[in-house]
Amino acid sequence: MKAHRKLFTVSSILAGSLAFAACARGGDSPDPSTDPSIDPGTSIAISEEGSGVHVNAITEAPTGFDSSNNGLCASQAVMDTARGSFEQVEGFDDGIGPVFNNISCVSCHQNPTSATGAGSQITELRAGHFNGASFVDHPGGSLINDRANDRSIQEHILSGNEVRTLRLTLSTTGDGFVESIDSNTLVAISNAQPAGQRGTVIQVPVAEAGGATRVGRFGWKNQNASLLTFSGDAYVNEMGITNRLFPTENTSNGTNVQGGPFDGKADPAGDAEDTESDIDAFALFMRCQKAPPRGPINANVTAGQTVFTQIGCAVCHTATITTAPAGTVINAGRFTVPTALGDKNIHPFGDFLLHDVGTGDGIVQNGGQGTRNQVRTAPLWGIGARTRFMHDGASVTASDAIQRHNNQAATAKNNFNALSATSQQNVLAFIFSL
Ligand code: HEC
Ligand code: HEC
């Protein structure tokens, strides 16, 4: 993480001013200074991740489950085009598979109907082996794809892989703001937590920056830090579409099944199946989304929030985080926080840190063996649109989810159980107002 302040502050506000930052960025990610699809807005400070000085006023992030533009896309039409890519169904000739999980991003990421990009009840499967000291990936990787272009290459969990878990689809709504949180802000949240409940910060590779690292915040294991990286990762791992960031097809349980009868589109070196650069459209769409909206707030909800904080839930379920100042260079130099995403307060009710609350799934991804039994605090924003909870979706009521909190969250759970029935109901009313 870089702590030094970059070069200069520009006091007047021209789109062109931001071009100075381009040398630090490279060309892979939509660049507010040169990409006409992005409104460069009115940011005035240009700094590297880590300086954190807010020159602009801090305002509330806009909210909505309606795929409408938070101001980052140059127009709603630009956002609608990007949403079209996120909703595009891919078939055999487009390169889907050889093994995959679903046929479009929206087929897993949507609810309510208006909210392309949100979550759903769909889970995916991971597996591997614990050898007594370390987690060892299942042959071909811990992700076991649920579908294939031919039954002869269908993946299955092989014997000897006793670590198994389901992973529930996460919502991407508001993730442009999450990406725009300065890494040092996440470190500061961790440092402020009591030692016995401190969240783990991990550094993960940013694919478009050649693997340079940044503090992870996306996925149940915080395995990614950049929405462009996640787009490339999801395109190949969920849909089997290779792309410039992830040019290699998945195997079937470790056997190479690329090309031939199992794959309808070739993966020429350097020119992967994503010939239309869909991954940029996915990242743009997610970055242009508003944050999840609140439901109605009544007296029970307000009382519930007070209790939620008093009994220690908010230690991990952080109520408010401020994004980096507009102009901050993030993603290891590949993205500059634009005005639409910078200097914003968001209310995720999550800290984007890994914790051991006794539910850990035993899988290691990007975080090292110490994170085997840690899971990212589930951000509670948008939970009113969900029916299944926790990383595995195995809890079908919020009360059940609370009862699964142990270890770092045992005290908070016990405090919840000691509340009057009315106070417990108020906490639940608060949760479902999010
Ligand atoms: C088969 C269902 C499925 C499909 C298809 C799918 N996803 Fe996901 N998505 C998931 C699941 C499950 C997770 C949580 C994964 C994990 O952490 O293990 C997730 C997580 C994410 C996240 C992280 C969200 C956060 O806030 O942490 C992003 C971003 C994302 N997906 C983008 C995409 C994009 C872009 C596509 C299309 C290329 C896509 N997904 C296709 C199921 C899916
Ligand atoms: C030490 C940190 C910590 C504390 C304290 C904590 N939680 Fe959590 N919470 C988590 C983690 C981590 C998860 C995700 C666990 C998983 O998926 O296995 C989670 C998940 C949840 C979920 C499920 C959300 C979803 O979308 O699936 C709810 C509801 C929840 N917590 C409520 C509470 C309440 C209420 C309290 C206080 C009684 C509380 N939590 C205290 C860390 C914490």
Side-chain angles (χ1 to χ4, degrees):
M1 208 168 332
K2 306 205 178 118
H4 61 275
R5 174 132 202 174
K6 186 142 195 227
L7 319 183
F8 54 87
T9 299
V10 196
S11 51
S12 108
I13 318 201
L14 292 173
S17 316
L18 279 167
F20 288 117
C23 53
R25 189 185 301 108
D28 282 335
S29 177
D31 173 346
S33 65
T34 58
D35 186 332
S37 67
I38 288 184
D39 171 7
T42 56
S43 62
I44 47 178
I46 298 177
S47 57
E48 295 227 345
E49 191 157 11
S51 62
V53 178
H54 292 276
V55 182
N56 301 330
I58 295 168
T59 55
E60 289 292 306
T63 61
F65 263 152
D66 52 7
S67 302
S68 68
N69 183 12
N70 63 23
L72 169 63
C73 279
S75 66
Q76 185 61 42
V78 167
M79 183 170 182
D80 290 346
T81 302
R83 190 187 70 201
S85 298
F86 196 95
E87 294 178 348
Q88 176 75 43
V89 171
E90 306 291 343
F92 186 73
D93 293 340
D94 304 308
I96 203 145
V99 292
F100 63 106
N101 281 327
N102 217 331
I103 55 176
S104 66
C105 304
V106 74
S107 56
C108 293
H109 288 283
Q110 183 200 54
N111 196 54
T113 316
S114 57
T116 292
S120 76
Q121 83 286 6
I122 295 175
T123 54
E124 44 185 67
L125 190 55
R126 286 197 181 259
H129 167 59
F130 182 60
N131 68 11
S134 302
F135 171 76
V136 182
D137 272 342
H138 190 285
S142 68
L143 184 68
I144 309 297
N145 284 103
D146 284 302
R147 305 187 191 190
N149 282 337
D150 190 274
R151 76 171 267 178
S152 63
I153 59 168
Q154 177 59 51
E155 293 200 291
H156 299 282
I157 295 182
L158 304 177
S159 63
N161 292 278
E162 79 294 344
V163 179
R164 297 128 191 210
T165 190
L166 293 175
R167 291 273 183 83
L168 188 64
T169 303
L170 286 164
S171 171
T172 72
T173 314
D175 275 355
F177 299 100
V178 178
E179 185 178 40
S180 298
I181 299 170
D182 195 296
S183 291
N184 292 289
T185 300
L186 297 176
V187 171
I189 291 171
S190 169
N191 286 339
Q193 289 170 336
Q197 292 179 292
R198 184 156 297 152
T200 303
V201 174
I202 62 170
Q203 296 273 0
V204 300
V206 176
E208 64 271 28
T213 59
R214 179 180 195 229
V215 171
R217 68 220 34 220
F218 295 122
W220 286 104
K221 290 287 203 179
N222 274 352
Q223 61 266 31
N224 274 315
S226 144
L227 289 175
L228 184 58
T229 301
F230 215 122
S231 296
D233 181 331
Y235 217 13
V236 78
N237 286 310
E238 309 292 2
M239 297 171 63
I241 309 251
T242 54
N243 54 81
R244 71 176 186 278
L245 298 180
F246 293 83
T248 309
E249 294 281 16
N250 273 304
T251 65
S252 172
N253 285 162
T255 301
N256 183 352
V257 290
Q258 184 155 6
F262 303 126
D263 195 1
K265 192 171 178 181
D267 305 83
D271 180 20
E273 287 166 340
D274 181 18
T275 41
E276 291 169 6
S277 294
D278 290 337
I279 60 172
D280 297 309
F282 303 153
L284 180 65
F285 169 68
M286 294 189 286
R287 285 171 176 157
C288 289
Q289 284 181 312
K290 295 177 177 173
R294 286 289 298 263
I297 299 173
N298 59 27
N300 293 348
V301 167
T302 306
Q305 178 163 9
T306 303
V307 176
F308 181 87
T309 306
Q310 276 168 353
I311 64 175
C313 307
V315 169
C316 306
H317 293 284
T318 312
T320 302
I321 300 180
T322 307
T323 63
T328 305
V329 178
I330 62 169
N331 289 353
R334 291 301 172 129
F335 189 67
T336 299
V337 175
T339 318
L341 298 175
D343 307 293
K344 294 288 181 292
N345 274 341
I346 54 170
H347 306 287
F349 294 92
D351 56 8
F352 303 101
L353 300 172
L354 297 176
H355 290 273
D356 177 357
V357 299
T359 57
D361 58 8
I363 307 275
V364 174
Q365 280 171 273
N366 287 351
Q369 295 296 332
T371 61
R372 207 162 54 83
N373 285 321
Q374 298 184 351
V375 181
R376 182 184 78 173
T377 304
L380 301 180
W381 61 358
I383 195 173
R386 311 250 318 276
T387 55
R388 307 180 195 198
F389 311 103
M390 309 295 267
H391 69 275
D392 50 11
S395 304
V396 292
T397 66
S399 309
D400 288 354
I402 295 168
Q403 296 312 317
R404 285 175 70 190
H405 283 60
N406 289 303
N407 300 354
Q408 289 189 316
T411 305
K413 191 262 301 279
N414 294 338
N415 291 343
F416 177 84
N417 290 341
L419 295 171
S420 69
T422 307
S423 286
Q424 289 182 355
Q425 284 308 317
N426 287 344
V427 170
L428 293 172
F430 163 66
I431 287 174
F432 282 111
S433 78
L434 297 175

